[in-house]
Amino acid sequence: MKRIQGWGNTSTDYPVPEPARAYLENVVGKPHRLKNVEIEQLIRKIPEADLPSHPRITTDHEERLRHARGQSLNDWIDMYDGLVNTFPDAVAYPQSDSDIRDLLKFAEKHQINLIPYGGGSSVTGHLTPPGEGLPTISVDLAKMNQLLDLNENNLEATFGAGVSGPQLEEQLKQHGYILGHFPQSWEYSTLGGWIVTRSVGQQSYHYGRIEPLFVSGHLECPAGPLDILRVPKSAAGPDLRHIILGSEARMGILTQATMRIRPLPEAEHFYSAFFPNFEIGAEAVRKIAQAELPLSMVRLSDAMETETTFQLSGEEKLVSLAKKGLNLFGQGDQRCMLIYGLTGSRAENRLADRRLAHLVRSHEGMMVKFYLGEAWMEKRFLTPYLRNTLWDLGYALDTLETALPWDKLPESRTAILDVIRDGLEDENEPVLVFSHISHVYTNGGSLYITYLYRRAQDPHHTLERWQKLKTAASQKIVELGGTITHQHGIGIDHKPYLPAEKGALGMHIMEKAILEADPHTIMNRGKLMDIK
Ligand SMILES: Cc1cc2nc3c(=O)[nH]c(=O)nc-3n(C[C@H](O)[C@H](O)[C@H](O)COP(=O)(O)OP(=O)(O)OC[C@H]3O[C@@H](n4cnc5c(N)ncnc54)[C@H](O)[C@@H]3O)c2cc1C
């Protein structure tokens, strides 16, 4: 069963090994042991709904609680510490386009705000009901999860937009195909959520981000349906796919989408390499990206992330042995780990691997072909469960991301990490912060930053700490000319920084487009941008 507090299902845990606890205490201090608020207590906070009846909606309190928040750190503080104070008034489970059209009419007639709900994995506040103004219905797409059409000639598959990562790949695998979109939230996140938040899967370097995978779709808007013509490419004016991509439910509900698929690959491998420091590693990664090597992923951790990964593995003996070996080959304390993936035919993979090894060695790097890459692969959807365990231990963990051109990336990284590391200096509270480059392009890369600090005795104080760190980092990203988000979207948390990226006219064009599709603004109010 899906957890109400924290990430994932209730039967999976990722324990923090004892030596890792000592490491964390050493870096950020001994945590306070804090109690979580009981779920029953949260349910008791939910007011009775006051909505006209409708055959597809339920006002059950647990259902409303389950749809009240996503996975951003402030969502966690709300749900774990009982600060949650806005709930959808009802939850709907449509099964077809006509159910959705009916819900849109109902919402327009009774002035109800609709928030589509995919996997609930948003990390930027996309799902929070506004709490004032209109009542809210959360529209859960879970029942629209089927493969609707498979066109093997064109290598295209059409799915209901509520299909989750595992459901989608399972249905394709039966026919010998793969979409290959693997965000770390894959276990729960959905096709509709990926498209409207412009998500990026871990193997984007081979399979592509969601944008090139998205061929066409059907959006039910309050003003009527929007269909994208199913052709490989069109020069007929602006590309309307890009009005759906990133729309964050402001224009309507995506009910189905046609995606580019591929035959299952012949072989897939994940390996690692090390560089003596981040600057050298980043330079090698730039060369790898610009050589357009046929890899499926490249992920370069900085020295702190490399060390923390070692510590959290719990493999004390192995780690100590590995460090000795790495030291001997010039990979000392500032060592940075590269994980890379090969996906394709065996011959292609061998060739790509040889070319990569050449580039690694010519940048003082060292190839490590055993254990680390495969271990990363095996745990890639398990790692998010660590956040649950850390929370229970008394640590709050959050991530943020940006993308920058190569000529700015290394220095910008240092500047962003510095403001986070020093962000709680006024209360003498240390912050553990580390980063990796994870999606690369010929002209730049994305930077993914993780930070961890101690939860305070008072949850409002934990929230205040998060606000300080998030604001400092976001302002620094904007000042450096980075995007406020490479893959997580805007939601509420990134909304203040959108005008800096889009400009006044850009914001105006977006607002007009939203109002054309949703003239009475009943779709996901208050997210992405404020509409007067
Ligand atoms: C542990 C973890 C790891 C993550 N890793 C990644 C990652 O590797 N890459 C990445 O890009 N992101 C990642 N994310 C962020 C998140 O998973 C993505 O933003 C994802 O695309 C959200 O999909 P979802 O189905 O869960 O959408 P939800 O969270 O349910 O909704 C997000 C937004 O999309 C809207 N929406 C959902 N479905 C529809 C629809 N059918 N029609 C219209 N609007 C809709 C919602 O109203 C909301 O505004 C991660 C999050 C977590 C918690």
Side-chain angles (χ1 to χ4, degrees):
M1 175 164 314
K2 196 173 171 187
R3 287 172 201 253
I4 294 180
Q5 292 165 317
W7 171 252
N9 64 69
T10 46
S11 50
T12 306
D13 276 316
Y14 191 141
V16 178
E18 205 48 58
R21 293 179 188 210
Y23 168 76
L24 292 174
E25 282 188 21
N26 192 27
V27 182
V28 285
K30 201 172 168 56
H32 306 292
R33 275 304 182 123
L34 302 164
K35 267 191 93 175
N36 299 322
V37 167
E38 299 286 333
I39 303 227
E40 288 66 34
Q41 233 173 304
L42 299 177
I43 290 179
R44 279 201 294 276
K45 285 183 79 172
I46 304 176
E48 286 307 320
D50 181 19
L51 281 180
S53 67
H54 185 284
R56 289 259 175 249
I57 66 172
T58 168
T59 54
D60 175 79
H61 283 201
E62 186 178 322
E63 286 290 304
R64 289 169 61 198
L65 181 64
R66 285 186 175 277
H67 292 82
R69 293 291 182 275
Q71 291 287 320
S72 69
L73 186 55
N74 43 344
D75 290 341
W76 271 43
I77 297 169
D78 278 357
M79 293 297 262
Y80 266 119
D81 284 330
L83 302 190
V84 56
N85 56 4
T86 60
F87 307 88
D89 296 85
V91 180
Y93 285 97
Q95 300 190 9
S96 64
D97 288 12
S98 88
D99 284 352
I100 287 184
R101 275 194 295 278
D102 185 49
L103 277 167
L104 287 169
K105 273 196 208 124
F106 177 74
E108 284 229 301
K109 180 169 171 207
H110 299 287
Q111 276 297 287
I112 296 168
N113 176 46
L114 298 183
I115 307 185
Y117 186 98
S121 68
S122 156
V123 282
T124 58
H126 287 109
L127 299 166
T128 308
E132 53 185 38
L134 311 186
T136 292
I137 298 179
S138 172
V139 183
D140 190 320
L141 280 297
K143 293 194 171 157
M144 297 178 68
N145 62 0
Q146 292 302 308
L147 174 61
L148 304 171
D149 181 45
L150 175 68
N151 188 323
E152 298 184 69
N153 242 344
N154 301 341
L155 284 180
E156 286 175 353
T158 305
F159 284 94
V163 69
S164 70
Q167 290 168 343
L168 180 148
E169 290 299 358
E170 189 48 47
Q171 292 179 78
L172 281 182
K173 196 174 165 191
Q174 286 170 21
H175 300 276
Y177 297 102
I178 182 168
L179 175 69
H181 190 72
F182 298 114
Q184 206 180 29
S185 56
W186 183 74
E187 194 180 345
Y188 285 101
S189 57
T190 63
L191 179 59
W194 299 338
I195 292 168
V196 306
T197 62
R198 304 190 91 113
S199 77
V200 181
Q202 290 168 335
Q203 285 163 267
S204 68
Y205 203 48
H206 175 73
Y207 292 107
R209 293 155 291 116
I210 204 67
E211 290 95 334
L213 294 173
F214 177 47
V215 178
S216 78
H218 178 81
L219 191 74
E220 285 289 348
C221 310
L226 177 66
D227 281 293
I228 306 294
L229 189 68
R230 194 164 155 180
V231 287
K233 197 267 182 204
S234 161
D239 189 343
L240 292 181
R241 283 177 315 149
H242 284 275
I243 227 162
I244 296 178
L245 286 156
S247 57
E248 304 195 355
R250 288 309 307 258
M251 302 182 70
I253 304 183
L254 186 67
T255 65
Q256 47 181 273
T258 299
M259 308 300 292
R260 287 195 169 84
I261 54 169
R262 290 177 165 82
L264 285 164
E266 187 182 310
E268 191 151 69
H269 303 284
F270 295 87
Y271 297 129
S272 65
F274 283 83
F275 295 97
N277 62 46
F278 188 78
E279 284 64 33
I280 298 175
E283 183 56 12
V285 167
R286 178 177 76 84
K287 298 263 179 61
I288 290 166
Q290 293 179 346
E292 300 191 53
L293 293 190
L295 306 170
S296 58
M297 62 159 291
V298 191
R299 176 188 162 126
L300 177 73
S301 296
D302 66 17
M304 188 56 109
E305 185 169 288
T306 302
E307 179 59 20
T308 306
T309 307
F310 278 172
Q311 295 288 345
L312 289 174
S313 73
E315 308 276 1
E316 252 186 311
K317 279 192 188 143
L318 198 66
V319 165
S320 142
L321 210 66
K323 281 185 178 172
K324 275 188 196 140
L326 287 164
N327 275 329
L328 276 177
F329 287 93
Q331 311 293 333
D333 285 351
Q334 290 306 303
R335 65 182 84 85
C336 291
M337 180 168 66
L338 176 83
I339 301 283
Y340 66 96
L342 300 160
T343 301
S345 74
R346 288 196 174 78
E348 281 164 352
N349 289 353
R350 261 196 308 274
L351 188 65
D353 203 23
R354 267 208 298 275
R355 291 180 62 196
L356 179 114
H358 174 74
L359 269 169
V360 166
R361 291 193 185 109
S362 62
H363 286 82
E364 303 172 48
M366 175 187 171
M367 301 289 284
V368 177
K369 298 288 286 288
F370 59 90
Y371 186 67
L372 292 170
E374 292 301 329
W376 175 86
M377 158 67 180
E378 271 164 30
K379 287 191 178 163
R380 65 176 166 163
F381 303 127
L382 189 62
T383 324
Y385 286 87
L386 193 55
R387 195 185 184 201
N388 299 340
T389 333
L390 289 168
W391 177 270
D392 286 338
L393 282 178
Y395 298 110
L397 180 146
D398 199 20
T399 61
L400 50 88
E401 28 82 62
T402 181
L404 288 145
W406 287 121
D407 59 356
K408 286 186 176 174
L409 199 146
E411 276 174 25
S412 302
R413 173 191 153 272
T414 308
I416 302 164
L417 263 56
D418 283 351
V419 295
I420 299 176
R421 194 180 303 105
D422 301 342
L424 304 180
E425 224 174 32
D426 56 343
E427 19 176 333
N428 218 2
E429 191 64 35
V431 181
L432 170 63
V433 57
F434 46 80
S435 66
H436 60 254
I437 297 175
S438 50
H439 301 281
V440 295
Y441 308 87
T442 51
N443 57 345
S446 75
L447 193 61
Y448 190 89
I449 297 167
T450 304
Y451 58 95
L452 176 144
Y453 61 92
R454 289 192 297 180
R455 290 167 59 200
Q457 307 268 13
D458 175 356
H460 295 95
H461 193 179
T462 309
L463 183 63
E464 245 171 62
R465 287 180 176 169
W466 173 77
Q467 279 159 343
K468 266 194 223 168
L469 297 171
K470 178 82 178 171
T471 305
S474 302
Q475 285 174 348
K476 184 52 83 180
I477 286 171
V478 171
E479 183 192 314
L480 293 164
T483 174
I484 193 61
T485 172
H486 170 262
Q487 63 205 49
H488 288 162
I490 297 294
I492 297 176
D493 301 345
H494 292 149
K495 208 164 57 166
Y497 311 100
L498 190 64
E501 193 157 330
K502 301 292 183 199
L505 183 58
M507 293 296 284
H508 187 64
I509 293 170
M510 281 168 46
E511 177 173 320
K512 289 287 172 205
I514 290 171
L515 283 171
E516 283 302 317
D518 179 20
H520 303 114
T521 57
I522 57 161
M523 293 303 311
N524 208 6
R525 282 191 163 198
K527 316 297 162 42
L528 182 64
M529 66 188 298
D530 290 322
I531 295 193
K532 288 133 231 156

